[in-house]
Amino acid sequence: MDKASLSSTEGKPIRCKAAILRKAGEALVIEEIQVDPPQAYEVRIKILCTSLCHTDVTFWKLESGPLARFPRILGHEAVGVVESIGANVDGFKQGDVVLPVFQPQCEECKECKSPKSNWCTRYTNDFLSNTRRYGMTSRFKDSFGEVIHHFIFVSSFTEYTVVDIAHLVKISPEIPVDIAALLSCGVATGIGAAWKVADVEEGSTVAIFGLGAVGLAVAEGVRLRGATKIIGVDLNPAKFEIGKRYGMTDFVNPALCGEKTISEVIREMTEVGADYSFECIGLASLMEEAFNSTRPGSGKTVILGMEQKALPVSLGSYDLLRGRTICGTLFGGLKPKLDIPILVDRYLKKELNLDGLITHELSFEEINKAFDLLAEGNSIRCVVWMDK
Amino acid sequence: MENGNSSGDNKSSRKPIRCKAAVSRKAGEPLVMEEIMVAPPQPYEVRIRIICTALCHSDVTFWKLQVPPACFPRILGHEAIGVVESVGENVKEVVEGDTVLPTFMPDCGECVDCKSQKSNLCSKFPFKVSPWMPRYENSSRFTDLNGQTLFHFLNVSSFSEYTVLDVANIVKIDSSIPPSRACLLSCGVSTGVGAAWETAKVEQGSTVVIFGLGSIGLAVAEGARLCGASRIIGVDINPAKFQVGQNFGITEFVNSMTCEKKSVSEVINEMTGGGADYCFECVGSSSLVQEAYACCRQGWGKTITLGVDKPGSQICLDSFDVLHHGKILMGSLFGGLKAKTHIPLLLKRYLSNELELDKFVTHEMKFEEINDAFQLLLEGKCIRCVLWMG
């Protein structure tokens, strides 16, 4: 992509292809759309590749309720190149390789300035707003001129998208772009959870519920911190083999626990309980199991999964009283602009192992196959290439 | 009352002692003052003469409860101070005549958790509300005069002139400290102050909300005050607590009965512009824990539960809230403190006039008046009632 072709579209709407969700649970439809130029503090980017994350699937299935919107462009794990910038945009220029991220970082608010939090809420508190700064106005229109809704400030299942600078991270062009895309959501979330939220120390025992991309990234994160016992919990025994690559030492298949609960099995395996547990699926019952798997006195549970039916989590008050901690985290507690470049750097220095997370590659036209592969449990990350 | 000669050899004082105790025979009924027999200490145990003991709400909880882990007849009480009367074999930590605080939280000093900085939950003696001595299975040191076994409580059982404790449940302290102040550190004040210092690690300038202004809540306020919190908001249904609370550093008060159409958490979110840095639940109600969670600040807010609810009670959280709002929920027993390490530190801070204990003691009574103490606590008319043995 050379600069000349990028600058020819500057300031004008772009007509391009997008995979649109028109009806819950149904195949995305590839259609021509119009993408408006970026407003002040926004950037329009050309997506190079994007991968499917389970959160996309969760929203894809939502038929009704306040979180469902149609039509919508899903996708939020991706890598792109800056096509044009809006007014007042510093730090990005045409041609930059960038990661759009659902997690905002305005760098100015109290939370952004605090090391304790990554919970920026500047400009909007509504994570389903179409834009960060301008409310529900959308940059996408379909070929009938109808508004298409954005998705968590990214919308990457499209050849072009418009992203607020609070949701954009510039990265080194050295890292293979498909690996980079993983750092815009799943892998960063998992590693951040291990390093920042849990702050796992050497010699720890860790239980990881759900060995998808996020869970495996947690495993990699805790392995690098020197955890000595890493227990993976998954219904798919094939995940253990993959998990071993990331330091997994033990495996629990809930289907084979018999009369015992998963937490009972884990407590037996660890004498009293794990130091840390991570829930990386999004099921309230497993969040409870993860909580009950930890060691009294110091056990910490980190919730990463988004509950698929918004069910409540129920914790025993005596279990909590016995010195346990539970918290949830978005994006692994990381501040995107600060922390993603650090992860990129560690990958380039071969300290961070991300091999094997990309199990499939598809062309944009084949994007619906990615949903099937994930539903069948046969993929970890499926990368969809825009230009192939 | 036989107690053996303190100057005599230890072996000869290892006889059962006959003494007075306040026995809880039936749930919710007045304790019965009776003579009981207290057996000599086994290996790793000490027998102590109680100087004074204070009433804590956990005693009331297990006095009222009609289902396990409540059991009867039982000797309640776990906040106290005493003098070692005799020691069992293998006891090196203390000798006869030493002043000790009994602590319901075991601190064996040897297991992985006792050795870890992160935990105060000894795994050698896992915490549970047991009727027995911790080290020996189904073993009690108390019998009544009919020979019936009396159950222990929280490893202490201080509503008795003499009791027997495991070495894991005692801390030797300086005998010059006024007993009616020192005894508070064996449970309530340590729990509250520890929760602020150790569990939450409240920083200077923080905004803190405390649900329940009993002794624990007020101790949390004291701890938060010492940590330099700038706003300490107290929540209670009894407006009298605000007056009292001001002595403990409470800066604002919310009466949860008079919030009209709003929930307490809504009121607090408004008062604090989005929630407190730390919320402490010091009542023992799961629904209140949920309220506290709802008004701790998104992004870094911590909610800490200290109160003991009914067995089996559940705290229900909205999963969306848990994932999306960056809050932390934690519980702790005994304020996260390791008895043998931290109690001496708290006593030092008392002696250097930083930690104030006098204001916690609102009543001093005789042991025989113990049932009046229960009444005062049930009616919310006291903070700590200290009962002095004869």
Side-chain angles (χ1 to χ4, degrees), chain A residues 110-133:
Chain A
K110 192 172 172 183
E111 278 77 9
C112 279
K113 292 199 168 139
S114 162
K116 292 205 283 184
S117 170
N118 73 338
W119 206 79
C120 171
T121 50
R122 195 115 189 274
Y123 305 114
T124 181
N125 218 340
D126 174 11
F127 78 115
L128 292 181
S129 178
N130 280 341
T131 66
R132 180 132 211 106
R133 259 166 250 251

PDB file of all heavy atoms in Angstrom, chain A residues 110-133:
ATOM      1  N   LYS A 110      -8.359  10.841  35.146  1.00  0.00           N
ATOM      2  CA  LYS A 110      -7.800  10.380  36.413  1.00  0.00           C
ATOM      3  C   LYS A 110      -7.388   8.909  36.340  1.00  0.00           C
ATOM      4  O   LYS A 110      -6.345   8.502  36.835  1.00  0.00           O
ATOM      5  CB  LYS A 110      -8.873  10.573  37.490  1.00  0.00           C
ATOM      6  CG  LYS A 110      -8.391  10.419  38.901  1.00  0.00           C
ATOM      7  CD  LYS A 110      -9.484  10.830  39.899  1.00  0.00           C
ATOM      8  CE  LYS A 110      -9.044  10.483  41.321  1.00  0.00           C
ATOM      9  NZ  LYS A 110     -10.054  10.780  42.326  1.00  0.00           N
ATOM     10  N   GLU A 111      -8.228   8.119  35.687  1.00  0.00           N
ATOM     11  CA  GLU A 111      -7.920   6.687  35.601  1.00  0.00           C
ATOM     12  C   GLU A 111      -6.712   6.446  34.708  1.00  0.00           C
ATOM     13  O   GLU A 111      -5.862   5.615  35.005  1.00  0.00           O
ATOM     14  CB  GLU A 111      -9.128   5.914  35.039  1.00  0.00           C
ATOM     15  CG  GLU A 111     -10.187   5.586  36.076  1.00  0.00           C
ATOM     16  CD  GLU A 111     -11.055   6.777  36.441  1.00  0.00           C
ATOM     17  OE1 GLU A 111     -10.944   7.817  35.771  1.00  0.00           O
ATOM     18  OE2 GLU A 111     -11.832   6.654  37.390  1.00  0.00           O
ATOM     19  N   CYS A 112      -6.628   7.168  33.581  1.00  0.00           N
ATOM     20  CA  CYS A 112      -5.477   6.977  32.691  1.00  0.00           C
ATOM     21  C   CYS A 112      -4.190   7.392  33.397  1.00  0.00           C
ATOM     22  O   CYS A 112      -3.130   6.807  33.161  1.00  0.00           O
ATOM     23  CB  CYS A 112      -5.643   7.754  31.385  1.00  0.00           C
ATOM     24  SG  CYS A 112      -6.712   6.881  30.196  1.00  0.00           S
ATOM     25  N   LYS A 113      -4.284   8.401  34.270  1.00  0.00           N
ATOM     26  CA  LYS A 113      -3.078   8.859  34.959  1.00  0.00           C
ATOM     27  C   LYS A 113      -2.704   7.968  36.128  1.00  0.00           C
ATOM     28  O   LYS A 113      -1.588   8.019  36.631  1.00  0.00           O
ATOM     29  CB  LYS A 113      -3.266  10.297  35.443  1.00  0.00           C
ATOM     30  CG  LYS A 113      -3.342  11.267  34.278  1.00  0.00           C
ATOM     31  CD  LYS A 113      -3.054  12.694  34.702  1.00  0.00           C
ATOM     32  CE  LYS A 113      -2.847  13.525  33.440  1.00  0.00           C
ATOM     33  NZ  LYS A 113      -3.447  14.814  33.493  1.00  0.00           N
ATOM     34  N   SER A 114      -3.625   7.139  36.575  1.00  0.00           N
ATOM     35  CA  SER A 114      -3.322   6.283  37.721  1.00  0.00           C
ATOM     36  C   SER A 114      -2.735   4.960  37.269  1.00  0.00           C
ATOM     37  O   SER A 114      -3.221   4.339  36.330  1.00  0.00           O
ATOM     38  CB  SER A 114      -4.614   6.025  38.507  1.00  0.00           C
ATOM     39  OG  SER A 114      -4.440   4.913  39.350  1.00  0.00           O
ATOM     40  N   PRO A 115      -1.696   4.497  37.953  1.00  0.00           N
ATOM     41  CA  PRO A 115      -1.145   3.182  37.609  1.00  0.00           C
ATOM     42  C   PRO A 115      -2.079   2.043  38.021  1.00  0.00           C
ATOM     43  O   PRO A 115      -1.913   0.907  37.596  1.00  0.00           O
ATOM     44  CB  PRO A 115       0.159   3.114  38.411  1.00  0.00           C
ATOM     45  CG  PRO A 115       0.018   4.112  39.492  1.00  0.00           C
ATOM     46  CD  PRO A 115      -0.932   5.164  39.026  1.00  0.00           C
ATOM     47  N   LYS A 116      -3.088   2.384  38.851  1.00  0.00           N
ATOM     48  CA  LYS A 116      -3.930   1.327  39.405  1.00  0.00           C
ATOM     49  C   LYS A 116      -5.018   0.859  38.446  1.00  0.00           C
ATOM     50  O   LYS A 116      -5.660  -0.144  38.676  1.00  0.00           O
ATOM     51  CB  LYS A 116      -4.638   1.839  40.675  1.00  0.00           C
ATOM     52  CG  LYS A 116      -3.706   2.092  41.826  1.00  0.00           C
ATOM     53  CD  LYS A 116      -4.427   2.001  43.170  1.00  0.00           C
ATOM     54  CE  LYS A 116      -5.255   3.225  43.479  1.00  0.00           C
ATOM     55  NZ  LYS A 116      -5.857   3.137  44.826  1.00  0.00           N
ATOM     56  N   SER A 117      -5.266   1.648  37.408  1.00  0.00           N
ATOM     57  CA  SER A 117      -6.460   1.357  36.627  1.00  0.00           C
ATOM     58  C   SER A 117      -6.227   1.546  35.150  1.00  0.00           C
ATOM     59  O   SER A 117      -5.384   2.346  34.740  1.00  0.00           O
ATOM     60  CB  SER A 117      -7.564   2.303  37.089  1.00  0.00           C
ATOM     61  OG  SER A 117      -8.669   2.240  36.224  1.00  0.00           O
ATOM     62  N   ASN A 118      -6.987   0.817  34.322  1.00  0.00           N
ATOM     63  CA  ASN A 118      -6.967   1.092  32.885  1.00  0.00           C
ATOM     64  C   ASN A 118      -8.369   1.471  32.441  1.00  0.00           C
ATOM     65  O   ASN A 118      -8.702   1.426  31.284  1.00  0.00           O
ATOM     66  CB  ASN A 118      -6.462  -0.138  32.105  1.00  0.00           C
ATOM     67  CG  ASN A 118      -7.487  -1.264  32.049  1.00  0.00           C
ATOM     68  OD1 ASN A 118      -8.394  -1.349  32.878  1.00  0.00           O
ATOM     69  ND2 ASN A 118      -7.356  -2.135  31.076  1.00  0.00           N
ATOM     70  N   TRP A 119      -9.187   1.874  33.395  1.00  0.00           N
ATOM     71  CA  TRP A 119     -10.610   2.039  33.153  1.00  0.00           C
ATOM     72  C   TRP A 119     -10.946   3.456  32.739  1.00  0.00           C
ATOM     73  O   TRP A 119     -11.569   4.196  33.494  1.00  0.00           O
ATOM     74  CB  TRP A 119     -11.333   1.644  34.442  1.00  0.00           C
ATOM     75  CG  TRP A 119     -12.708   1.182  34.200  1.00  0.00           C
ATOM     76  CD1 TRP A 119     -13.098  -0.023  33.762  1.00  0.00           C
ATOM     77  CD2 TRP A 119     -13.891   1.961  34.368  1.00  0.00           C
ATOM     78  NE1 TRP A 119     -14.461  -0.060  33.658  1.00  0.00           N
ATOM     79  CE2 TRP A 119     -14.973   1.142  34.015  1.00  0.00           C
ATOM     80  CE3 TRP A 119     -14.135   3.253  34.781  1.00  0.00           C
ATOM     81  CZ2 TRP A 119     -16.280   1.574  34.060  1.00  0.00           C
ATOM     82  CZ3 TRP A 119     -15.446   3.691  34.838  1.00  0.00           C
ATOM     83  CH2 TRP A 119     -16.505   2.864  34.465  1.00  0.00           C
ATOM     84  N   CYS A 120     -10.533   3.823  31.542  1.00  0.00           N
ATOM     85  CA  CYS A 120     -10.789   5.173  31.024  1.00  0.00           C
ATOM     86  C   CYS A 120     -12.253   5.298  30.642  1.00  0.00           C
ATOM     87  O   CYS A 120     -12.788   4.451  29.920  1.00  0.00           O
ATOM     88  CB  CYS A 120      -9.890   5.407  29.815  1.00  0.00           C
ATOM     89  SG  CYS A 120     -10.248   6.914  28.895  1.00  0.00           S
ATOM     90  N   THR A 121     -12.901   6.365  31.108  1.00  0.00           N
ATOM     91  CA  THR A 121     -14.289   6.565  30.689  1.00  0.00           C
ATOM     92  C   THR A 121     -14.484   7.957  30.118  1.00  0.00           C
ATOM     93  O   THR A 121     -15.593   8.470  30.082  1.00  0.00           O
ATOM     94  CB  THR A 121     -15.269   6.412  31.864  1.00  0.00           C
ATOM     95  OG1 THR A 121     -14.791   7.215  32.950  1.00  0.00           O
ATOM     96  CG2 THR A 121     -15.409   4.986  32.295  1.00  0.00           C
ATOM     97  N   ARG A 122     -13.424   8.533  29.640  1.00  0.00           N
ATOM     98  CA  ARG A 122     -13.529   9.893  29.100  1.00  0.00           C
ATOM     99  C   ARG A 122     -14.417   9.889  27.873  1.00  0.00           C
ATOM    100  O   ARG A 122     -14.337   9.012  27.029  1.00  0.00           O
ATOM    101  CB  ARG A 122     -12.136  10.396  28.733  1.00  0.00           C
ATOM    102  CG  ARG A 122     -12.102  11.876  28.527  1.00  0.00           C
ATOM    103  CD  ARG A 122     -11.235  12.558  29.578  1.00  0.00           C
ATOM    104  NE  ARG A 122     -11.360  14.002  29.522  1.00  0.00           N
ATOM    105  CZ  ARG A 122     -10.640  14.777  28.730  1.00  0.00           C
ATOM    106  NH1 ARG A 122      -9.756  14.236  27.921  1.00  0.00           N
ATOM    107  NH2 ARG A 122     -10.810  16.073  28.741  1.00  0.00           N
ATOM    108  N   TYR A 123     -15.240  10.857  27.801  1.00  0.00           N
ATOM    109  CA  TYR A 123     -16.161  11.103  26.686  1.00  0.00           C
ATOM    110  C   TYR A 123     -17.367  10.198  26.688  1.00  0.00           C
ATOM    111  O   TYR A 123     -18.456  10.626  26.341  1.00  0.00           O
ATOM    112  CB  TYR A 123     -15.466  11.036  25.311  1.00  0.00           C
ATOM    113  CG  TYR A 123     -14.297  11.973  25.222  1.00  0.00           C
ATOM    114  CD1 TYR A 123     -13.000  11.507  25.101  1.00  0.00           C
ATOM    115  CD2 TYR A 123     -14.503  13.352  25.304  1.00  0.00           C
ATOM    116  CE1 TYR A 123     -11.931  12.386  25.056  1.00  0.00           C
ATOM    117  CE2 TYR A 123     -13.432  14.236  25.268  1.00  0.00           C
ATOM    118  CZ  TYR A 123     -12.144  13.741  25.142  1.00  0.00           C
ATOM    119  OH  TYR A 123     -11.089  14.606  25.103  1.00  0.00           O
ATOM    120  N   THR A 124     -17.226   8.955  26.987  1.00  0.00           N
ATOM    121  CA  THR A 124     -18.426   8.141  27.092  1.00  0.00           C
ATOM    122  C   THR A 124     -18.230   6.964  28.021  1.00  0.00           C
ATOM    123  O   THR A 124     -17.153   6.403  28.140  1.00  0.00           O
ATOM    124  CB  THR A 124     -18.909   7.625  25.708  1.00  0.00           C
ATOM    125  OG1 THR A 124     -20.108   6.863  25.912  1.00  0.00           O
ATOM    126  CG2 THR A 124     -17.889   6.704  25.071  1.00  0.00           C
ATOM    127  N   ASN A 125     -19.304   6.605  28.684  1.00  0.00           N
ATOM    128  CA  ASN A 125     -19.340   5.472  29.587  1.00  0.00           C
ATOM    129  C   ASN A 125     -19.970   4.270  28.908  1.00  0.00           C
ATOM    130  O   ASN A 125     -19.999   3.182  29.440  1.00  0.00           O
ATOM    131  CB  ASN A 125     -20.256   5.864  30.756  1.00  0.00           C
ATOM    132  CG  ASN A 125     -19.729   5.334  32.041  1.00  0.00           C
ATOM    133  OD1 ASN A 125     -18.930   4.410  32.068  1.00  0.00           O
ATOM    134  ND2 ASN A 125     -20.189   5.928  33.124  1.00  0.00           N
ATOM    135  N   ASP A 126     -20.504   4.510  27.702  1.00  0.00           N
ATOM    136  CA  ASP A 126     -21.294   3.489  27.030  1.00  0.00           C
ATOM    137  C   ASP A 126     -20.402   2.753  26.032  1.00  0.00           C
ATOM    138  O   ASP A 126     -20.015   3.311  24.996  1.00  0.00           O
ATOM    139  CB  ASP A 126     -22.459   4.170  26.293  1.00  0.00           C
ATOM    140  CG  ASP A 126     -23.269   3.204  25.437  1.00  0.00           C
ATOM    141  OD1 ASP A 126     -23.062   1.982  25.569  1.00  0.00           O
ATOM    142  OD2 ASP A 126     -24.102   3.678  24.652  1.00  0.00           O
ATOM    143  N   PHE A 127     -20.068   1.507  26.358  1.00  0.00           N
ATOM    144  CA  PHE A 127     -19.110   0.802  25.512  1.00  0.00           C
ATOM    145  C   PHE A 127     -19.707   0.405  24.165  1.00  0.00           C
ATOM    146  O   PHE A 127     -19.005  -0.078  23.282  1.00  0.00           O
ATOM    147  CB  PHE A 127     -18.515  -0.418  26.240  1.00  0.00           C
ATOM    148  CG  PHE A 127     -19.405  -1.623  26.298  1.00  0.00           C
ATOM    149  CD1 PHE A 127     -19.059  -2.790  25.641  1.00  0.00           C
ATOM    150  CD2 PHE A 127     -20.590  -1.589  27.012  1.00  0.00           C
ATOM    151  CE1 PHE A 127     -19.865  -3.913  25.702  1.00  0.00           C
ATOM    152  CE2 PHE A 127     -21.404  -2.695  27.083  1.00  0.00           C
ATOM    153  CZ  PHE A 127     -21.036  -3.867  26.422  1.00  0.00           C
ATOM    154  N   LEU A 128     -21.014   0.643  24.017  1.00  0.00           N
ATOM    155  CA  LEU A 128     -21.633   0.346  22.728  1.00  0.00           C
ATOM    156  C   LEU A 128     -21.999   1.605  21.941  1.00  0.00           C
ATOM    157  O   LEU A 128     -22.749   1.551  20.970  1.00  0.00           O
ATOM    158  CB  LEU A 128     -22.877  -0.534  22.922  1.00  0.00           C
ATOM    159  CG  LEU A 128     -22.571  -1.951  23.401  1.00  0.00           C
ATOM    160  CD1 LEU A 128     -23.849  -2.751  23.541  1.00  0.00           C
ATOM    161  CD2 LEU A 128     -21.613  -2.666  22.456  1.00  0.00           C
ATOM    162  N   SER A 129     -21.454   2.721  22.383  1.00  0.00           N
ATOM    163  CA  SER A 129     -21.659   3.946  21.609  1.00  0.00           C
ATOM    164  C   SER A 129     -20.969   3.781  20.259  1.00  0.00           C
ATOM    165  O   SER A 129     -19.940   3.130  20.175  1.00  0.00           O
ATOM    166  CB  SER A 129     -21.045   5.115  22.378  1.00  0.00           C
ATOM    167  OG  SER A 129     -21.172   6.290  21.645  1.00  0.00           O
ATOM    168  N   ASN A 130     -21.521   4.373  19.220  1.00  0.00           N
ATOM    169  CA  ASN A 130     -20.895   4.197  17.901  1.00  0.00           C
ATOM    170  C   ASN A 130     -19.570   4.923  17.784  1.00  0.00           C
ATOM    171  O   ASN A 130     -18.652   4.460  17.117  1.00  0.00           O
ATOM    172  CB  ASN A 130     -21.847   4.619  16.773  1.00  0.00           C
ATOM    173  CG  ASN A 130     -22.869   3.526  16.474  1.00  0.00           C
ATOM    174  OD1 ASN A 130     -22.669   2.375  16.825  1.00  0.00           O
ATOM    175  ND2 ASN A 130     -23.957   3.900  15.832  1.00  0.00           N
ATOM    176  N   THR A 131     -19.487   6.097  18.407  1.00  0.00           N
ATOM    177  CA  THR A 131     -18.195   6.784  18.401  1.00  0.00           C
ATOM    178  C   THR A 131     -17.857   7.122  19.838  1.00  0.00           C
ATOM    179  O   THR A 131     -18.731   7.127  20.705  1.00  0.00           O
ATOM    180  CB  THR A 131     -18.226   8.094  17.585  1.00  0.00           C
ATOM    181  OG1 THR A 131     -19.100   9.021  18.251  1.00  0.00           O
ATOM    182  CG2 THR A 131     -18.705   7.867  16.159  1.00  0.00           C
ATOM    183  N   ARG A 132     -16.588   7.430  20.058  1.00  0.00           N
ATOM    184  CA  ARG A 132     -16.183   7.748  21.432  1.00  0.00           C
ATOM    185  C   ARG A 132     -16.652   9.141  21.823  1.00  0.00           C
ATOM    186  O   ARG A 132     -17.142   9.360  22.919  1.00  0.00           O
ATOM    187  CB  ARG A 132     -14.668   7.674  21.563  1.00  0.00           C
ATOM    188  CG  ARG A 132     -14.247   8.004  22.961  1.00  0.00           C
ATOM    189  CD  ARG A 132     -13.260   7.001  23.519  1.00  0.00           C
ATOM    190  NE  ARG A 132     -13.473   6.943  24.956  1.00  0.00           N
ATOM    191  CZ  ARG A 132     -14.061   5.939  25.603  1.00  0.00           C
ATOM    192  NH1 ARG A 132     -14.463   4.866  24.953  1.00  0.00           N
ATOM    193  NH2 ARG A 132     -14.262   5.981  26.899  1.00  0.00           N
ATOM    194  N   ARG A 133     -16.476  10.045  20.902  1.00  0.00           N
ATOM    195  CA  ARG A 133     -16.687  11.451  21.226  1.00  0.00           C
ATOM    196  C   ARG A 133     -17.974  12.063  20.703  1.00  0.00           C
ATOM    197  O   ARG A 133     -18.348  13.152  21.109  1.00  0.00           O
ATOM    198  CB  ARG A 133     -15.571  12.280  20.575  1.00  0.00           C
ATOM    199  CG  ARG A 133     -14.474  12.696  21.474  1.00  0.00           C
ATOM    200  CD  ARG A 133     -13.300  13.189  20.661  1.00  0.00           C
ATOM    201  NE  ARG A 133     -12.241  12.215  20.785  1.00  0.00           N
ATOM    202  CZ  ARG A 133     -11.123  12.421  21.479  1.00  0.00           C
ATOM    203  NH1 ARG A 133     -10.908  13.568  22.070  1.00  0.00           N
ATOM    204  NH2 ARG A 133     -10.216  11.480  21.553  1.00  0.00           N
TER     205      ARG A 133
END
